[in-house]
Amino acid sequence: MKPIPIHNLDEGSRRLMARAAEMATRDAYDVSFSDFLTPREQRLFHYAAASEGHGDRLFFWGGAAGAERRCAVFVPEWLLSDVPLCDPFAPERENYLAGLAEQGVIDLAPAVTAVSLTGTEYGSLSHRDWLGSVLALGLERHVLGDIAVLDEHRAVAFFTARIAPFITDNLSRAGSDTVRAKIYDLPAGFEIPRHFERVEFSVASPRLDAIVKALTGLSRADANALVKAADVELNYFPEENADAPVEDGDTLSIRGYGKYIIDSACGVTRRGRNRLSARKYL
């Protein structure tokens, strides 16, 4: 995992890290949860917990496999004997945590509750419609995790457990449609659907500005300007160094152009250029 730019953090990020450190050291013998965190906040949370010597106890859980917005979950040290040694954000750790819950060793229900959202089938509802309907109830974003849109009439949303009953009692409209919300037992193997467009290019080098140029179609100078303006995030943090290396597995967000997962940045073509393979979020 690449280091985070700890010296360039704003006050809100530092407060979050202080809260993470407090959670990490508060109780090493019980399970504790945070509200939902963005991927960037998850990295800050892990940095703070690891700085206190509790990084191994920290997992992330969003209610289902594939969630991006997830709660921090601290587990007791005695549960770590078989934990996989891997990147702290890797699916293997999430699977390990889910396995503990399936075995009844820990209870994740107090952290996240799934809620089914259903329209009347007379209108088409998008992710934006569902999100707007929830926030219109006066809720803050950190009590809501991912919204998995199943089709144009149905979605599954993940909430902090304490808020879910409020949603089922009060959510009645989304967009211009009447909707209903119910606590939902997820079927076995449920994963949050993601849709991507695969993109492939050859680039002169796996430098950030070269990758941005390839993904946006801009000139090298304009791509460089995007980077210098802090409009490019590498693994959820602004990266202003045009020559920063981009590696396999990195996440790249370019303001105005989208978000990408870099599957391969270092393959070599017959002509000696780097082969870039990525997935763009749709």
Side-chain angles (χ1 to χ4, degrees), residues 105-117:
V105 178
I106 63 172
D107 184 9
L108 294 176
V112 181
T113 298
V115 175
S116 68
L117 308 174

Side-chain angles (χ1 to χ4, degrees), residues 90-124:
E92 290 85 352
R93 284 184 63 86
E94 185 178 66
N95 293 340
Y96 180 83
L97 184 70
L100 293 179
E102 291 171 1
Q103 298 165 29
V105 178
I106 63 172
D107 184 9
L108 294 176
V112 181
T113 298
V115 175
S116 68
L117 308 174
T118 309
T120 63
E121 300 190 3
Y122 290 103
S124 178

Side-chain angles (χ1 to χ4, degrees), residues 33-34 36 61-64 69 71 107-117 143-148 155-168 181-186 190 192:
F33 313 100
S34 74
F36 287 100
W61 179 244
R69 295 179 61 85
C71 302
D107 184 9
L108 294 176
V112 181
T113 298
V115 175
S116 68
L117 308 174
V143 302
L144 169 63
D146 283 19
I147 300 176
V156 176
F158 297 88
F159 295 91
T160 55
R162 69 181 185 279
I163 291 296
F166 174 83
I167 297 298
T168 58
K182 299 193 304 181
I183 302 298
Y184 183 56
D185 289 328
L186 294 174
F190 181 89
I192 294 177

Side-chain angles (χ1 to χ4, degrees), residues 23-261:
M23 280 188 66
T25 56
R26 182 172 56 204
D27 190 350
Y29 303 100
D30 201 358
V31 179
S32 57
F33 313 100
S34 74
D35 285 342
F36 287 100
L37 305 167
T38 66
R40 181 179 187 273
E41 291 170 336
Q42 292 168 39
R43 282 156 174 76
L44 293 172
F45 229 82
H46 179 266
Y47 182 94
S51 297
E52 297 293 335
H54 293 277
D56 289 347
R57 294 180 50 230
L58 175 60
F59 295 78
F60 295 99
W61 179 244
E68 289 197 340
R69 295 179 61 85
R70 301 185 293 179
C71 302
V73 182
F74 286 96
V75 304
E77 292 183 358
W78 59 269
L79 292 176
L80 301 179
S81 58
D82 298 323
V83 67
L85 298 176
C86 58
D87 184 288
F89 307 101
E92 290 85 352
R93 284 184 63 86
E94 185 178 66
N95 293 340
Y96 180 83
L97 184 70
L100 293 179
E102 291 171 1
Q103 298 165 29
V105 178
I106 63 172
D107 184 9
L108 294 176
V112 181
T113 298
V115 175
S116 68
L117 308 174
T118 309
T120 63
E121 300 190 3
Y122 290 103
S124 178
L125 296 170
S126 66
H127 185 280
R128 178 176 294 184
D129 292 323
W130 291 118
L131 177 61
S133 69
V134 170
L135 298 182
L137 296 176
L139 299 177
E140 296 185 358
R141 190 66 175 90
H142 59 77
V143 302
L144 169 63
D146 283 19
I147 300 176
V149 177
L150 305 181
D151 57 38
E152 60 184 6
H153 310 299
R154 298 179 302 133
V156 176
F158 297 88
F159 295 91
T160 55
R162 69 181 185 279
I163 291 296
F166 174 83
I167 297 298
T168 58
D169 289 343
N170 292 279
L171 185 63
S172 59
R173 295 197 66 80
S176 59
D177 199 5
T178 300
V179 302
R180 66 181 185 273
K182 299 193 304 181
I183 302 298
Y184 183 56
D185 289 328
L186 294 174
F190 181 89
E191 292 189 20
I192 294 177
R194 301 286 178 202
H195 303 286
F196 301 96
E197 175 188 359
R198 181 162 294 283
V199 293
E200 294 188 355
F201 297 96
S202 63
V203 294
S205 74
R207 287 169 42 121
L208 182 60
D209 56 353
I211 302 293
V212 171
K213 174 182 181 296
L215 294 174
T216 61
L218 295 171
S219 68
R220 187 67 170 262
D222 287 342
N224 196 289
L226 272 182
V227 175
K228 295 299 184 184
D231 287 335
V232 178
E233 291 187 353
L234 185 59
N235 295 326
Y236 304 101
F237 290 91
E239 177 56 76
E240 298 179 38
N241 296 320
D243 61 352
V246 178
E247 301 174 353
D248 297 359
D250 283 347
T251 299
L252 194 64
S253 300
I254 308 171
R255 184 172 298 173
Y257 292 91
K259 178 179 173 182
Y260 303 82
I261 297 174

